[in-house]
Amino acid sequence: MTVMETTATAAETGTRTDVCASAPRPHPRPEGQDSYTISEVVALTGLTAHTLRWYERIGLMPHIDRSHTGQRRYSNRDLDWLAFVGKLRLTGMPVADMVRYAELVREGDKTYGERFELLEATRRDVRARIAELQDTLAVLDYKINFYADAGRALASEGSR
């Protein structure tokens, strides 16, 4: 379900499940806290409350617990999932594919192959975009060097 999907061993839990594990968190979370209001999640993630509700409505977020008054209560696992979704967004993955991935995660272990293929295709797309950007960067570097050299030449001619 996250940047690095890990599987808890059968000895630990008795079942194989996705465990949220991601790169170091960009925003520190309060030590020992595992329940957040939507406004706290907004502050921690930079997402809007509207976006969080939309993610839930379209099935991109798993079921979000509610307090006795009906207020959403997000867990650290939910925050890890949101961090992963943020990475998927950065890849340019279409929302429909992100929702499909979330559905596959909820369906369980039998979907590992489909999840693998979806992420593998996304990785291919990202690598192609990186190559394109590297080519673009090379062109920019060439032009910048050209203008820097031309500027130095003009400055040296002007000082004569």
Side-chain angles (χ1 to χ4, degrees), residues 94-109:
V95 172
D97 287 349
M98 288 188 270
V99 171
R100 177 67 184 140
Y101 183 85
E103 290 168 351
L104 292 170
V105 168
R106 287 190 292 272
E107 289 175 24
D109 294 356

Side-chain angles (χ1 to χ4, degrees), residues 10-71:
E12 291 170 338
T13 64
T15 62
R16 292 172 49 106
T17 59
D18 284 337
V19 177
C20 291
S22 62
R25 298 176 179 115
H27 302 288
R29 298 177 192 164
E31 185 78 26
Q33 184 173 342
D34 192 28
S35 181
Y36 306 88
T37 64
I38 198 166
S39 60
E40 290 171 323
V41 174
V42 165
L44 288 168
T45 65
L47 297 170
T48 66
H50 175 77
T51 298
L52 292 169
R53 290 184 198 105
W54 180 65
Y55 281 0
E56 189 177 356
R57 194 168 47 253
I58 66 172
L60 188 52
M61 284 295 298
H63 170 76
I64 302 300
D65 287 334
R66 303 276 182 146
S67 70
H68 67 283
T69 60
Q71 187 179 37

